[in-house]
Amino acid sequence: MMKSYSTFKDVTRTSSHHLRHFVPHKTGATVPVNTVGKALPWLTGVFLLGTTCCGFVFLKSHRVTAAGREIIEARNAASGSFPAYSTILASSSRRDESNVVRSPPRSSRTYSTDADKYYKKFNKLPIPHVMHDNLDRMISTESRESFGDFLNARETSKRSNKILIVGDVHGCLHELKSLVDKASNEHNGGMLFRAVVLVGDLCNKGPYSSEVIQFVREQPYWYAIRGNHDNAALEAALGDTERLSREQYSWVKELSDEDVEWMANLPYTIRISMDRLMFPYWRSGDVLVVHAGLLPNIGIEEQNIKTMVTVRAFKAMHKHDTTEESSNNALLYYENYDPSQIDQTPIPWANAWTGPELVIFGHDAKRGTQVQTHAIGLDSGCVYGNKLTGIILPEKKLVSVDAAKVYCPIKD
């Protein structure tokens, strides 16, 4: 049993009967001939006192949360100047099922979150705290809450200024990890990205929906948009009996309260400012990340949720303008395309978007990767056996990885 010490003088003693010596406490005391017996207990006492004091000062000065510890531990475990992204990614990107281990939820599902209460009262999905968020605000808030000023400065120094935006994941966890690892190693010097943003539809159709949600939620400086499949899964998790009766939503029972509350507060758009993208090198205006698309003839605050999570195409309309300043009294505007009306000619919404923002979106796997002047689509159909695609800003570098297999057939 370890001996307890009541004074520092006791600490300098050794309980070992092998040495049978003390370090002298008073000037002029006799020094034993056995130098090992003399030095070892003295150094032990100094070491214990020093580490105790330093640890106390550090903990009083800097608050380190779980997110901060994860970053520090991963960095210490990595080799070289910067950690490979695969070190941060909890497990390797090998595609065997035994490699996916879901860590225990931080709490069991109590159905008492704010999102649950809202759904029970109004029988509809809760509106996120911030419908249209800003990446600068999100990064600043997380930095303060997770690291504090001192650790945040050190943590930020290990990240580049680049931002990675990832297309529709649909539960393809292995491919998500592989894509981020590839983007980091091949286009970011092995460094962490300043932020990773997912365009929504994290779940459904693929094999690891709940694991993707938990994984993304727990990564520092990873953010996501709400997509139509995220909304559907959230409805099931909150108690929608019709959805819960379907096999495709059985996985929502694996979600924790933290998962559900996090999903309920995902924004519908995230704005990335020109300053964040290193203006004047970036001259494409702000970037807006949305799941599906936006109507070009209305402002961001007026956008309909259904449009933002489901639109793929528009129908062109004409609106008469009676003002004298107009040289053409038939101004073009757009409405959502209704495929049931066969007399309409669909226009991909990205073709109709003229800026000034560059919109990065997903949702349209049939058209695949789309690159227009003011709109870039990233849904390249990973869950359908094609690819998972991302884009690195500010250089607009597209990067992709192949799907391991066809997880779900694409509908005609």
Side-chain angles (χ1 to χ4, degrees):
M1 183 174 180
M2 184 176 291
K3 181 180 178 181
S4 60
Y5 300 106
S6 59
T7 66
F8 175 68
K9 183 179 292 187
D10 291 331
V11 175
T12 63
R13 297 177 182 270
T14 176
S15 60
S16 172
H17 57 275
H18 301 294
L19 298 178
R20 301 181 184 281
H21 289 289
F22 301 129
V23 173
H25 305 303
K26 297 180 181 179
T27 304
T30 303
V31 179
V33 175
N34 187 335
T35 57
V36 174
K38 172 187 69 175
L40 185 58
W42 170 251
L43 292 175
T44 300
V46 172
F47 175 78
L48 289 173
L49 181 63
T51 54
T52 301
C53 293
C54 290
F56 176 78
V57 170
F58 180 80
L59 290 175
K60 289 287 287 182
S61 302
H62 308 293
R63 181 174 63 90
V64 185
T65 64
R69 286 195 297 272
E70 289 173 6
I71 288 291
I72 295 170
E73 290 168 1
R75 183 183 304 137
N76 290 341
S79 59
S81 299
F82 299 104
Y85 233 117
S86 55
T87 306
I88 304 298
L89 297 181
S91 64
S92 72
S93 57
R94 289 181 297 129
R95 292 170 173 168
D96 57 293
E97 293 191 7
S98 62
N99 187 48
V100 176
V101 179
R102 177 176 170 84
S103 57
R106 294 180 182 174
S107 69
S108 59
R109 191 77 174 90
T110 66
Y111 296 91
S112 61
T113 69
D114 289 342
D116 287 294
K117 295 174 183 176
Y118 185 96
Y119 188 81
K120 290 175 183 176
K121 182 175 182 179
F122 299 104
N123 196 33
K124 63 180 181 179
L125 286 178
I127 301 297
H129 293 320
V130 183
M131 284 272 290
H132 306 286
D133 217 329
N134 184 292
L135 187 63
D136 287 339
R137 187 204 70 81
M138 299 169 86
I139 289 176
S140 176
T141 299
E142 182 169 354
S143 297
R144 291 195 305 269
E145 292 179 351
S146 298
F147 298 102
D149 294 338
F150 174 76
L151 282 180
N152 181 54
R154 294 184 59 189
E155 201 281 329
T156 301
S157 69
K158 301 300 182 181
R159 294 178 178 269
S160 73
N161 289 321
K162 296 182 180 182
I163 298 166
L164 175 65
I165 303 177
V166 180
D168 301 43
V169 175
H170 281 297
C172 299
L173 180 61
H174 293 307
E175 289 83 352
L176 172 60
K177 292 181 178 182
S178 295
L179 177 67
V180 178
D181 204 20
K182 178 180 179 180
S184 171
N185 291 330
E186 295 185 7
H187 306 289
N188 200 33
M191 295 178 69
L192 301 171
F193 288 98
R194 189 64 192 91
V196 176
V197 180
L198 285 79
V199 302
D201 278 6
L202 279 68
C203 57
N204 281 354
K205 300 185 178 182
Y208 301 116
S209 289
S210 63
E211 290 85 353
V212 167
I213 288 170
Q214 186 183 39
F215 177 76
V216 174
R217 175 173 64 82
E218 292 178 344
Q219 303 311 305
Y221 301 109
W222 283 42
Y223 309 102
I225 300 295
R226 271 167 81 163
N228 56 310
H229 280 278
D230 306 312
N231 276 349
L234 183 58
E235 281 188 301
L238 292 174
D240 184 287
T241 55
E242 191 277 327
R243 294 191 187 278
L244 283 173
S245 65
R246 303 186 211 170
E247 177 62 27
Q248 70 186 91
Y249 293 104
S250 61
W251 62 267
V252 302
K253 298 174 183 177
E254 302 169 9
L255 296 174
S256 67
D257 279 353
E258 290 89 352
D259 294 330
V260 169
E261 194 69 16
W262 179 80
M263 291 176 69
N265 281 298
L266 294 179
Y268 284 102
T269 68
I270 293 178
R271 180 179 293 272
I272 306 174
S273 68
M274 291 178 64
D275 292 339
R276 171 67 63 182
L277 296 168
M278 296 178 285
F279 180 82
Y281 306 103
W282 174 270
R283 296 186 178 275
S284 298
D286 288 357
V287 169
L288 279 175
V289 186
V290 67
H291 176 62
L294 301 169
L295 276 171
N297 44 306
I298 61 176
I300 189 67
E301 297 293 340
E302 303 172 71
Q303 296 287 336
N304 182 278
I305 289 177
K306 183 178 179 180
T307 298
M308 291 187 288
V309 300
T310 64
V311 70
R312 291 189 177 98
F314 293 145
K315 60 181 179 180
M317 305 292 289
H318 288 84
K319 182 177 181 180
H320 292 288
D321 185 357
T322 57
T323 61
E324 295 182 0
E325 291 81 2
S326 174
S327 59
N328 183 356
N329 69 343
L331 297 180
L332 195 65
Y333 77 106
Y334 299 91
E335 291 181 354
N336 287 353
Y337 169 70
D338 183 357
S340 66
Q341 300 181 21
I342 59 176
D343 60 328
Q344 300 177 18
T345 301
I347 301 172
W349 85 267
N351 293 7
W353 183 262
T354 59
E357 297 95 344
L358 171 67
V359 178
I360 298 178
F361 64 101
H363 187 63
D364 199 351
K366 286 187 177 180
R367 290 191 175 92
T369 304
Q370 303 175 59
V371 180
Q372 303 294 336
T373 304
H374 295 286
I376 298 175
L378 296 180
D379 189 356
S380 49
C382 180
V383 76
Y384 306 118
N386 297 321
K387 295 178 181 293
L388 181 63
T389 299
I391 187 169
I392 301 171
L393 302 179
E395 58 261 57
K396 299 182 185 178
K397 176 67 178 179
L398 291 170
V399 58
S400 63
V401 295
D402 292 329
K405 64 178 183 179
V406 176
Y407 297 104
C408 175
I410 192 169
K411 294 180 181 179
D412 295 330

